[in-house]
Amino acid sequence: MTKKIAVLAGDGIGQEIMDQAIKVLKAMNLDLTFEEGLVGGVAYAATGHPLPEKTLKLAKESDAVLFGAVGDFKYDHLERSLRPEQAILGLRKALGLFVNLRPAICYPELTNASTLKPEVVSGLDLLIVRELTGDVYFGKPRGRRQCPDGPFEGALEGFDTMRYSVPEIERIAHVAFKAAMGRSKHLTSVDKANVLETSQVWRDVMTRISKEYPEVEFDQMYVDNAAMQLVRAPKKLDVLVTGNLFGDILSDEAAMLTGSIGMLASAALNDRKQGLYEPSHGSAPDIAGKNIANPIAQILSAAMMLRYSLDMPEKALQIENAVKKVLAQGYRTVDIWSEGCKKVSCSEMGDAVKAAL
Ligand code: IPM
Ligand code: MG
């Protein structure tokens, strides 16, 4: 049966990197249809909202969403509900995309691109499982009010609510333990249970669920320690599971271990295998339109889409192998370029991956 893909390129470099991913997918002659939708700042400019009804409808009706990036300095002055970032948060919530898979892989050819010592990162292959629809990101109440007590009573304060319910933790726990079962059977849960009640509930649930996976070596770390271990000895970690806020921060940190955020894909999934696939990096408005962005994260996001939402694991592998091949052939966009390699543009990189299929 033909599968429908919603193509939401968004802002900044979104369109140019998306073009490369679509080029690669089309070259594979898969039974897919593509429908484009407006999202982010470009959607705001055209319709007055970063996530127009029409786009939301398209996303809901599709088997998967291939997402580029959103955000641009020129929209930073808008009230929060109209900012481009709200489009991605709105899609996550509306589609119930509670699982965020963020692999951090250090490709051998790019070991020197990391700011860390090669021996610390070479061969790194880490998976962060981030809960994506709960936590302080969506907790209510939130807003601004007069400080109710203490030395600053009466002053304006901003506040948000960190929260997780037991069933929300249980479902992400099962996803993470299953992911660990499919890899090296080692899972680390990250929280801040020494301070936060939300984290204590998280830890209690994780501990209980761990009993159902006796084969998995399970440990728990406070987030400050996890941040440190990630740069000290990242290869001692394999799968990390954590809440929305800590996952946001740690996944950027993990990305830098690989030296190249332009290489990292991510998947956001719901319980129906519907997913949104996007590069881990942002919209990079400073280099937009110059045809120099690295399209590999977007291309690898398309591969993840084939694997997790469209049941085409061998096709996913075909793309991933093509990417490895172009790296081995020495093709590099400027962000990952080093002496002796072939410097290519965004579209040339797309062509190279297509040719390597
Ligand atoms: C991410 C981003 C988003 C987040 C922003 C754009 C809302 O940083 O996907 O990591 O905070 O989740
Ligand atoms: Mg982030």
Side-chain angles (χ1 to χ4, degrees), residues 72-195:
D72 197 321
F73 314 121
K74 60 181 182 237
Y75 302 112
D76 282 353
H77 66 282
L78 293 174
E79 65 167 272
R80 184 162 307 282
S81 66
L82 295 177
R83 289 212 202 161
E85 290 80 1
Q86 291 303 310
I88 184 70
L89 296 174
L91 281 165
R92 288 172 184 169
K93 201 64 182 173
L95 299 180
L97 305 170
F98 70 97
V99 181
N100 191 198
L101 302 178
R102 299 197 158 179
I105 297 168
C106 185
Y107 291 85
E109 293 85 357
L110 302 183
T111 303
N112 287 318
S114 176
T115 48
L116 273 79
K117 292 193 185 119
E119 63 268 27
V120 175
V121 294
S122 87
L124 180 84
D125 181 353
L126 189 82
L127 177 67
I128 296 188
V129 180
R130 168 189 177 195
E131 200 290 333
L132 205 55
T133 51
D135 205 351
V136 68
Y137 268 61
F138 294 97
K140 292 202 173 103
R142 62 189 291 159
R144 290 164 188 237
R145 65 184 173 196
Q146 273 188 338
C147 195
D149 49 28
F152 302 106
E153 190 181 330
L156 174 71
E157 69 174 9
F159 68 105
D160 299 271
T161 302
M162 180 177 269
R163 52 155 300 283
Y164 265 119
S165 65
V166 169
E168 274 174 298
I169 304 167
E170 285 171 341
R171 65 179 183 177
I172 195 72
H174 284 293
V175 171
F177 276 101
K178 284 180 185 143
M181 285 297 287
R183 293 172 51 110
S184 67
K185 300 196 170 73
H186 176 206
L187 177 67
T188 305
S189 173
V190 176
D191 62 39
K192 187 68 186 171
N194 52 345
V195 177

Side-chain angles (χ1 to χ4, degrees), residues 38-344:
L38 288 172
V39 79
V42 289
Y44 171 79
T47 72
H49 198 280
L51 181 58
E53 261 320 305
K54 199 172 156 203
T55 301
L56 189 56
K57 184 162 173 285
L58 168 66
K60 283 183 176 163
E61 287 168 359
S62 299
D63 294 287
V65 178
L66 195 56
F67 192 93
V70 292
D72 197 321
F73 314 121
K74 60 181 182 237
Y75 302 112
D76 282 353
H77 66 282
L78 293 174
E79 65 167 272
R80 184 162 307 282
S81 66
L82 295 177
R83 289 212 202 161
E85 290 80 1
Q86 291 303 310
I88 184 70
L89 296 174
L91 281 165
R92 288 172 184 169
K93 201 64 182 173
L95 299 180
L97 305 170
F98 70 97
V99 181
N100 191 198
L101 302 178
R102 299 197 158 179
I105 297 168
C106 185
Y107 291 85
E109 293 85 357
L110 302 183
T111 303
N112 287 318
S114 176
T115 48
L116 273 79
K117 292 193 185 119
E119 63 268 27
V120 175
V121 294
S122 87
L124 180 84
D125 181 353
L126 189 82
L127 177 67
I128 296 188
V129 180
R130 168 189 177 195
E131 200 290 333
L132 205 55
T133 51
D135 205 351
V136 68
Y137 268 61
F138 294 97
K140 292 202 173 103
R142 62 189 291 159
R144 290 164 188 237
R145 65 184 173 196
Q146 273 188 338
C147 195
D149 49 28
F152 302 106
E153 190 181 330
L156 174 71
E157 69 174 9
F159 68 105
D160 299 271
T161 302
M162 180 177 269
R163 52 155 300 283
Y164 265 119
S165 65
V166 169
E168 274 174 298
I169 304 167
E170 285 171 341
R171 65 179 183 177
I172 195 72
H174 284 293
V175 171
F177 276 101
K178 284 180 185 143
M181 285 297 287
R183 293 172 51 110
S184 67
K185 300 196 170 73
H186 176 206
L187 177 67
T188 305
S189 173
V190 176
D191 62 39
K192 187 68 186 171
N194 52 345
V195 177
L196 303 170
E197 204 51 39
T198 315
S199 278
Q200 189 58 58
V201 173
W202 176 280
R203 187 168 276 235
D204 293 348
V205 173
M206 285 289 164
T207 305
R208 171 164 57 77
I209 303 287
S210 72
K211 309 284 186 269
E212 295 176 38
Y213 299 86
E215 282 175 61
V216 176
E217 181 195 339
F218 176 63
D219 41 48
Q220 319 206 54
M221 256 182 213
Y222 297 139
V223 62
D224 46 351
N225 183 27
M228 182 170 74
Q229 298 308 329
L230 268 177
V231 285
R232 194 182 76 91
K235 284 191 273 182
K236 289 201 176 145
L237 302 164
D238 190 56
V239 183
L240 295 181
V241 59
T242 190
N244 206 345
L245 180 64
F246 300 154
D248 178 46
I249 299 165
L250 294 181
S251 60
D252 265 30
E253 188 188 0
M256 268 335 280
L257 302 176
T258 72
S260 49
I261 197 164
M263 302 286 301
L264 297 181
S266 77
L269 306 168
N270 63 20
D271 49 12
R272 305 182 295 281
K273 277 192 11 189
Q274 203 184 16
L276 181 148
Y277 299 83
E278 59 171 329
S280 291
H281 60 70
S283 55
D286 50 326
I287 59 163
K290 297 185 178 162
N291 194 23
I292 58 171
N294 185 348
I296 292 183
Q298 187 77 66
I299 292 171
L300 291 173
S301 298
M304 283 187 104
M305 173 178 85
L306 298 180
R307 175 171 294 116
Y308 292 108
S309 286
L310 305 179
D311 272 326
M312 301 180 193
E314 65 297 332
K315 299 290 177 190
L317 206 58
Q318 194 183 340
I319 296 182
E320 289 157 355
N321 286 337
V323 167
K324 286 186 188 150
K325 193 164 159 196
V326 301
L327 291 176
Q329 288 167 338
Y331 293 107
R332 304 281 189 276
T333 42
V334 347
D335 56 310
I336 53 173
W337 181 82
S338 60
E339 210 55 50
C341 296
K342 294 173 213 140
K343 199 180 280 181
V344 292

